[in-house]
Amino acid sequence: EYIDGAAESYLSYDFKELAVAQFKKEGTEGTLTLEIYDMAAPVNAFGIFSAERYPENKAVPVGDAGYLEGEAMNFVTGRYYVKLLSFGLGGQAAGVLDEFGRKVASAVPEHAGLPPMLRLFPKDNLVGQSERYIKKNFMGYEFLHNGYSAAYKVDGQDVEGFYVEGDSEKDAETMLGKLLDALAADKQVPEKIALGYHVKNRYSQHLFIGRVRNVLCGVTRVPAGYENKGEGLLKELTDSLGRPSSSKT
């Protein structure tokens, strides 16, 4: 009820509880609203945080990751997603937000840091602050869960790299099989390649996908004519998972 139409997104990340506090600066019209969302686990907190963050937002060193947008600051710390919104503070807004944010972050007992999977994304051509965690229905498929994505700029073209973490090797193999079947049913026939599979969709974009143990990895939204770049990024993603590119999928 508090966040009105945005509730579904939070619930999809296993939202648990919300605490809200209002503050007013004495002698002024300045106010600040503090919202603390308990998302049950650090990875869920990062997920909803990343869903509301944009690459152009100004990053701030508060909590595990944070950003400023106008007179607002959002950050993630442990299993909590924290939102600060100020009004009427003028030039003092950034300083007040930083002070409040650091106090909240310092009060959180556990600091798990960002999800380890994020460190696996290759850094070359990575678009800063584009990393996301999608807990359910990754890429629009209900059978894909625990997906991580990041935007890349390759020779001026926008592509997206991703990992999908299975609960086990069998789970990952099952997800891959279901994805290949779904693509084939949609007349997007997978072609076997050295690192996995290549698929061309009806919009002439290309998808590359492979599997390393319990993790699917891939590149999507690759424009026509950039297939070699897409396959090259797939190799980087694969190698980052610790498997030589010559190994079997």
Side-chain angles (χ1 to χ4, degrees):
E1 293 177 356
Y2 178 79
I3 60 176
D4 201 13
E8 195 62 34
S9 180
Y10 285 71
L11 293 172
S12 72
Y13 285 101
D14 295 347
F15 162 79
K16 185 176 181 181
E17 187 176 7
L18 168 64
V20 181
Q22 303 283 350
F23 300 85
K24 190 176 189 307
K25 186 173 177 63
E26 291 185 1
T28 75
E29 295 299 315
T31 63
L32 184 144
T33 301
L34 167 63
E35 303 171 359
I36 303 176
Y37 296 82
D38 184 348
M39 303 303 297
V43 69
N44 295 335
F46 176 77
I48 189 62
F49 164 81
S50 66
E52 298 189 341
R53 177 182 65 169
Y54 293 93
E56 58 267 24
N57 292 139
K58 180 182 178 181
V60 292
V62 177
D64 298 322
Y67 66 88
L68 275 174
E69 184 176 18
E71 291 187 286
M73 174 192 286
N74 295 348
F75 66 94
V76 59
T77 178
R79 71 174 194 260
Y80 303 101
Y81 178 37
V82 181
K83 306 181 77 171
L84 289 160
L85 180 61
S86 65
F87 294 96
L89 294 178
Q92 296 182 316
V96 172
L97 291 169
D98 182 76
E99 178 185 358
F100 269 74
R102 289 180 184 278
K103 286 182 177 180
V104 173
S106 67
V108 177
E110 74 276 9
H111 290 278
L114 297 178
M117 288 293 297
L118 298 180
R119 296 195 292 268
L120 296 176
F121 283 109
K123 302 305 179 187
D124 288 347
N125 302 312
L126 176 66
V127 177
Q129 299 194 105
S130 68
E131 300 94 333
R132 294 188 61 189
Y133 168 66
I134 298 90
K135 189 176 185 70
K136 304 172 184 177
N137 300 315
F138 186 70
M139 292 173 59
Y141 295 104
E142 56 85 20
F143 51 81
L144 293 182
H145 57 82
N146 296 327
Y148 299 81
S149 67
Y152 285 84
K153 183 76 74 170
V154 180
D155 289 351
Q157 300 295 318
D158 296 315
V159 302
E160 186 172 277
F162 66 85
Y163 292 114
V164 178
E165 189 174 22
D167 299 327
S168 62
E169 286 196 38
K170 183 177 180 180
D171 183 36
E173 185 177 5
T174 298
M175 286 194 290
L176 177 59
K178 288 183 177 180
L179 177 58
L180 296 176
D181 288 344
L183 291 168
D186 194 35
K187 298 181 180 179
Q188 302 177 61
V189 181
E191 169 198 6
K192 193 74 175 69
I193 59 174
L195 292 173
Y197 297 89
H198 163 236
V199 182
K200 179 181 178 181
N201 68 19
R202 62 178 59 88
Y203 306 107
S204 296
Q205 291 184 325
H206 299 263
L207 164 68
F208 296 87
I209 186 168
R211 179 178 69 84
V212 179
R213 296 181 294 278
N214 68 313
V215 180
L216 306 186
C217 57
V219 186
T220 187
R221 301 179 183 175
V222 179
Y226 288 81
E227 293 91 326
N228 63 325
K229 300 293 183 180
E231 193 165 358
L233 181 53
L234 176 63
K235 180 181 183 301
E236 292 183 52
L237 293 165
T238 297
D239 289 347
S240 188
L241 288 168
R243 185 196 69 174
S245 61
S246 61
S247 297
K248 292 183 179 180
T249 300

